[in-house]
Structures are given as structure tokens and as C-alpha cells.
Amino acid sequence: MKAVVFHGIGDIRLDDVAEPKLKEPTDAIIRLTASAICGTDLHMIRGTMAGMKPGTILGHEGVGVIEELGKDVRNFNVGDRVVICSTIACGNCSYCRAGYYAQCNDANPNGPAAGTAFFGGPEMTGPFDGMQAEKARIPHAAITMVKVPEGVTDDQAILVSDIFPTGYFGAEMAEIKPGDTVAVFGCGPVGLFAIVSARLLGAGRVFAIDSHEDRLALARAQGAEVINFEQEDPVETLKRFTAGIGVDRAIDAVGVDAQHAHHGPAAKKAKAEKPEFKREVEQVAPKQKPDGDNWVPGDAPSQAAQWAVQSLAKAGTLSIIGVYPQTMTAFPIGEAMNKNLTLRMGNCNHRKYVPKLLELVRSGTVDPTAILSHVKSMASAIDAYRNFDLRKPGWVKVELEPGVTVQ
């Protein structure tokens, strides 16, 4: 079968690989009908998330049809259409039972202290082959899969595999209450769903900070007030719009590949911090392999977190859902402490949110496809990756159709 395979930093290929087989009685084999490209995939290719094992199939978002079931998977039938949760969980351990599925004690074969197990990730996350393929093995299938309701399309369901739950998780962690003023840093797919989710939770005002006009336009369409950090200082603008107080809640939906401003008033501050930003890049991405403009790490890993802390009101809450590797150590802890900020962060507990969000989609409360910009065949996956990596205008979220050979 065809699959997108990681061969090294800056090196991904569309390969012929062996079809997956059942390994455990709790497994399932899925014939994928939709997958997607995520910003987290780019971290691995850019080198800002180290430890990828060559030969690993990429992709942690999937929708498909069950072809085989292990004997201990009792809540599904062959032929059922399912969404696969991006993080893998057993459902039995104390963490899963408390809703912390991303911290499952048993799913990660590297042991309880290894952290979140997810598809298509570095060796410390499993590794588990991902879903940018025609078929996939799903461990702990009774928990990791959720049946797709009638009336929900593949285009809708694929967005509930990871990015909608992660955005909702970020908004929930931010402790948003009705009437709150919220700043979302980053208007990529997860940031856009954080905006949607903030509105669902009753936010009074939502500000969206990014530098790409197409993404800011999508944020505006979701009801956010937009700020382009290449044109104005985002912290100063947020303070001005909040009578000098700052925002109640901030969500960092950017993570380690953040960019600093290269134009406008914010660029002057970035210039002074350039040596520190350079040190951060060397720390999180010691090995890089750019190909022209592709696969280039962000030039200011801590920038989104810094802006978020600076823009928050005293006693505000910062929610971090942008991905940071364990090697990332820079954070403005002193300013956060002296403002009495609450910090909440982590990998999304997908299984907690997927059923609820599927129902919001089925009922018509939310149509997530407003954020889906491209549907491409598996045959064009590498070109799609390159365009998405460059953040070309209009390239916001890319769905891949496994098994389709023409666009």
C-alpha cells in the first residue's frame, strides 16, 4: 500500500509499504478514507521535534472503515465507519478513567513515564505508524476509535480526529467563562478551532493574532477581532483594546515553530531578543535540513508564549496547546509568577472530546469544514506538504484521500 514515510529530517517520501496486521487482541485494522496533514507533522520534518525513527508512517488524523477486529474489541463491527483519536489510550488505567487519556499509563510501550502515545510520532511516543496511508493498525481500538454518526461526512469527521478537539481542549483549559476576553495566538487550524471553541464557551470578545492575512480572514469569519503582528505590536494593541488591563485568557496555539515579527513596531523588540531566539532554535532543532524555503524551523520558539504572558491581565489564565518538545526550556516564568497567572497546558485528551464534538457536528451546531482548505489525493501528498509548510495563501488545512490516485 502507499504511505507517507519519514526517512529523516527534511526527507519524507510516498512509499510502497506492507499492509498492517493485527498484533494484539485489542487491535483493529482500518481502511482509511480520509487522513490529514497537521502542523505537528511539520515539527518532525523541520527538526524541532527530535527522535523520529526512519521508516515511520506519518499522520495522526484518520477516518476509515473497519476491516478486521481483534477478539477483545467488542463494541464495533467490521464495516463500521470510525474516527480515530490522535492520541492512543487504554481506557483502563487511573489516568484514562479520570479523563486524562493523553497520559495513559499503558498505551505507550516505552512505559508510564514516557508520556503521550500518538500515531506517526517520535520513538518516545511509541512509535506507532500513522494514518497517511491506505490502511492502519489501531491499538486499544475499543477506546481509540469512535463511531461516526449518520449524516457526518468524511470532510467533517477528519477535523474531529485532532484539531477540533485540541482547540476545544485549549479553550476549556483556559477556563473561559461567559463574557471573558480571550486572545488566541496562532490562526492555523488548531488556533481557528480554539476561536470557535471560545465562542462556544461564551467568550465575550476573542482576539486572533497571526501574520497571514488569509488565516486572519478565517478568524474574522469566526467572529474574532484580528491583529497582524507584522503590522502592529500585538501586546500593545491588546492592552489598548482592553483599556490597559489585558485579556482574561490567552491560548498559545503556535508552539515551538513560532516566528517573531520581521516588520513593524514588534520587529524592533525582536531584534533586541535575536541572540536569545537563536539560542532557543539551536536548543530545540540542533539538526536541520532545509530544502530551499521548505522545512525551516521557526526563528523564535518562545515568542508566542512571551506575547501571551505579556498580554494577560493580572490573575489571568494561559492555556498552551501549541507543541513544545521536552528540550524547550525558555519561558517567562518571572513575569507569569509576578502577575499571579494560572498556567495550564498539555496534549489533548482526544477520547474525552471526540464523541461530544461529533454530536455538535451532527446536529449542525458547528460545521468544521469552514477551516478545510484543500482535499488532495495521496499521490500528491508530498507537494501538499510543501505548500502547507510554506503557509502559502489559502493553504490552511489539507485532507488526504488515501487510495485515490488522481486529483
Side-chain angles (χ1 to χ4, degrees):
M1 68 175 185
K2 294 290 186 183
V4 178
V5 179
F6 179 92
H7 285 266
I9 295 170
D11 184 3
I12 58 170
R13 307 174 200 172
L14 185 64
D15 288 345
D16 288 305
V17 301
E19 292 191 3
K21 298 182 182 300
L22 295 174
K23 293 183 179 179
E24 303 291 341
T26 50
D27 288 350
I29 301 298
I30 304 300
R31 175 177 56 80
L32 288 148
T33 55
S35 184
I37 300 173
C38 181
T40 302
D41 300 321
L42 297 178
H43 295 322
M44 276 91 81
I45 305 167
R46 292 169 179 164
T48 45
M49 184 179 287
M52 280 295 289
K53 184 178 178 181
T56 302
I57 297 171
L58 289 171
H60 51 266
E61 299 166 276
V63 176
V65 177
I66 298 173
E67 286 202 342
E68 293 183 69
L69 288 169
K71 67 181 180 65
D72 287 347
V73 184
R74 309 293 178 90
N75 53 338
F76 293 98
N77 294 305
V78 170
D80 282 348
R81 188 163 155 261
V82 294
V83 170
I84 297 100
C85 299
S86 296
T87 48
I88 302 165
C90 74
N92 296 320
C93 69
S94 60
Y95 290 97
C96 287
R97 293 185 184 194
Y100 289 100
Y101 294 97
Q103 295 302 323
C104 175
N105 253 353
D106 297 327
N108 194 324
N110 295 305
T116 305
F118 69 93
F119 294 95
E123 194 160 11
M124 70 177 185
T125 69
F128 294 92
D129 278 326
M131 287 177 279
Q132 290 169 10
E134 294 180 61
K135 294 184 180 182
R137 180 179 75 92
I138 312 302
H140 300 289
I143 300 299
T144 305
M145 304 188 308
V146 178
K147 192 171 181 179
V148 179
E150 290 292 331
V152 176
T153 68
D154 276 8
D155 290 353
Q156 294 173 320
I158 191 61
L159 301 171
V160 185
S161 179
D162 177 30
I163 57 172
F164 191 1
T166 302
Y168 194 93
F169 172 62
E172 187 177 84
M173 278 201 303
E175 303 176 317
I176 295 170
K177 299 178 180 64
D180 277 352
T181 295
V182 181
V184 177
F185 289 85
C187 296
V190 169
L192 290 167
F193 275 114
I195 293 166
V196 171
S197 301
R199 300 302 297 269
L200 286 170
L201 294 175
R205 298 180 78 181
V206 181
F207 293 97
I209 300 91
D210 205 292
S211 63
H212 296 273
E213 288 295 340
D214 57 329
R215 298 183 176 203
L216 290 169
L218 284 170
R220 188 185 292 112
Q222 301 301 327
E225 301 173 61
V226 302
I227 298 170
N228 187 328
F229 68 75
E230 293 284 16
Q231 298 175 5
E232 52 190 339
D233 186 303
V235 177
E236 291 180 1
T237 302
L238 286 167
K239 291 288 183 68
R240 179 166 62 87
F241 279 23
T242 57
I245 297 169
V247 297
D248 303 304
R249 320 291 171 198
I251 300 172
D252 172 1
V254 182
V256 67
D257 275 308
Q259 299 274 354
H260 65 69
H262 299 84
H263 307 281
K268 296 178 182 178
K269 294 180 182 178
K271 185 176 181 180
E273 297 178 25
K274 194 171 183 179
E276 176 59 22
F277 287 147
K278 182 179 179 182
R279 186 197 67 79
E280 291 173 10
V281 174
E282 291 171 350
Q283 181 184 52
V284 299
K287 295 181 181 179
Q288 304 173 28
K289 193 178 179 182
D291 182 6
D293 292 333
N294 276 117
W295 325 134
V296 179
D299 58 16
S302 68
Q303 182 67 93
Q306 286 190 33
W307 280 340
V309 168
Q310 292 162 8
S311 66
L312 275 161
K314 292 182 291 185
T317 302
L318 170 59
S319 168
I320 302 175
I321 49 175
V323 172
Y324 291 95
Q326 292 175 331
T327 51
M328 179 75 177
T329 59
F331 184 80
I333 189 69
E335 185 170 3
M337 184 269 177
N338 282 282
K339 291 175 78 171
N340 278 51
L341 299 186
T342 296
L343 310 180
R344 304 186 71 193
M345 63 200 80
N347 294 320
C348 179
N349 304 301
H350 291 88
R351 187 56 178 78
K352 178 179 178 179
Y353 301 103
V354 169
K356 174 181 180 175
L357 300 183
L358 280 172
E359 179 56 25
L360 289 180
V361 173
R362 187 205 63 78
S363 67
T365 302
V366 178
D367 182 5
T369 59
I371 288 165
L372 181 64
S373 61
H374 292 78
V375 179
K376 294 291 183 180
S377 71
M378 183 68 71
S380 62
I382 306 304
D383 284 340
Y385 254 105
R386 287 182 174 276
N387 287 316
F388 182 61
D389 174 62
L390 293 173
R391 304 177 185 88
K392 284 191 175 179
W395 286 80
V396 177
K397 184 61 179 179
V398 184
E399 177 185 333
L400 296 176
E401 292 186 334
V404 178
T405 56
V406 295
Q407 295 190 59

